[in-house]
Amino acid sequence: MVNKAGILLLVLLFIPLLIYADSITSSLTCNGASFVSSSVVQPDATWSERMSTSDTATIIRDILSGGTVQTNTMVKSQGPMGIFEYSTAMSNSTGDQNVCLFDTFDQTIRSRYETTVLGLMQQGSYSSMLMQGNNSRFLVHANGTGILLSRAESDDGRKEMNHGSDALGDLNLTEEMEFGADYDI
């Protein structure tokens, strides 16, 4: 006898995944050396990540790409770990479409965001979360011993913002970078 409700539930679970986005979920636990690398390249958003460990470690990653890029990463290691994350997003705006047919359409860059995290930690934990679409939100947390460098840059044609932070030694660092959100101040 066929369970029609069960089959219907399975179909409804898989239809949104087939229509909406690509996703990757991975979990790695090892007692040795490991290296993982991922990237997403879309017309207006790019994200790249490389993680390496050389001792007992756990690496968990979720990547979802569709209209937006969303990533979650968690690394916990009892030994050395290398960290590299880079993301960039750009929104373009073309000239007014309601003008004369023979006008030139000037394409101008409305906004550009870029974030980078680079680190070499002796031990500890590192986690990050990125949501990138019309605006970009990047959250980083690291707790351990080592060196961690983060950079962020935003340019919307009217203002430019740059940020850099460096931590060395025993560190507990949390940074949130959000670009392109509209706030009434």
Side-chain angles (χ1 to χ4, degrees):
M1 186 152 148
V2 176
N3 184 348
K4 293 180 184 176
I7 293 172
L8 182 61
L9 179 62
L10 284 174
V11 169
L12 291 175
L13 285 174
F14 286 107
I15 285 176
L17 290 176
L18 297 174
I19 295 172
Y20 177 66
D22 296 328
S23 68
I24 298 172
T25 300
S26 63
S27 174
L28 178 130
T29 301
C30 72
N31 187 10
S34 67
F35 175 79
V36 293
S37 174
S38 298
S39 64
V40 176
V41 178
Q42 295 186 160
D44 294 331
T46 302
W47 169 81
S48 178
E49 173 185 74
R50 285 153 185 71
M51 302 287 173
S52 62
T53 63
S54 63
D55 210 330
T56 304
T58 301
I59 302 172
I60 300 171
R61 295 179 309 158
D62 291 317
I63 305 166
L64 177 68
S65 70
T68 63
V69 176
Q70 299 177 21
T71 67
N72 290 307
T73 302
M74 194 282 301
V75 181
K76 189 169 190 171
S77 179
Q78 294 178 3
M81 73 173 113
I83 301 161
F84 173 76
E85 282 194 271
Y86 173 79
S87 69
T88 184
M90 188 179 323
S91 298
N92 290 330
S93 174
T94 58
D96 185 6
Q97 299 294 332
N98 296 323
V99 296
C100 178
L101 178 64
F102 300 106
D103 263 355
T104 56
F105 298 108
D106 295 325
Q107 187 172 12
T108 59
I109 296 173
R110 186 172 62 226
S111 56
R112 182 182 61 82
Y113 323 109
E114 187 173 311
T115 58
T116 306
V117 176
L118 181 64
L120 183 58
M121 295 180 62
Q122 293 173 347
Q123 59 79 31
S125 64
Y126 173 84
S127 61
S128 69
M129 184 269 313
L130 170 72
M131 292 177 57
Q132 194 172 58
N134 291 339
N135 58 8
S136 181
R137 183 172 187 223
F138 189 52
L139 179 65
V140 175
H141 177 74
N143 187 6
T145 304
I147 184 168
L148 197 65
L149 314 171
S150 73
R151 302 290 183 263
E153 182 177 312
S154 169
D155 184 1
D156 68 1
R158 294 172 291 147
K159 68 177 182 299
E160 185 174 326
M161 185 171 90
N162 292 294
H163 164 76
S165 66
D166 304 336
L168 173 64
D170 293 335
L171 57 94
N172 188 344
L173 174 116
T174 301
E175 287 192 339
E176 180 179 2
M177 301 167 234
E178 189 164 354
F179 303 109
D182 292 328
Y183 294 109
D184 293 329
I185 298 178

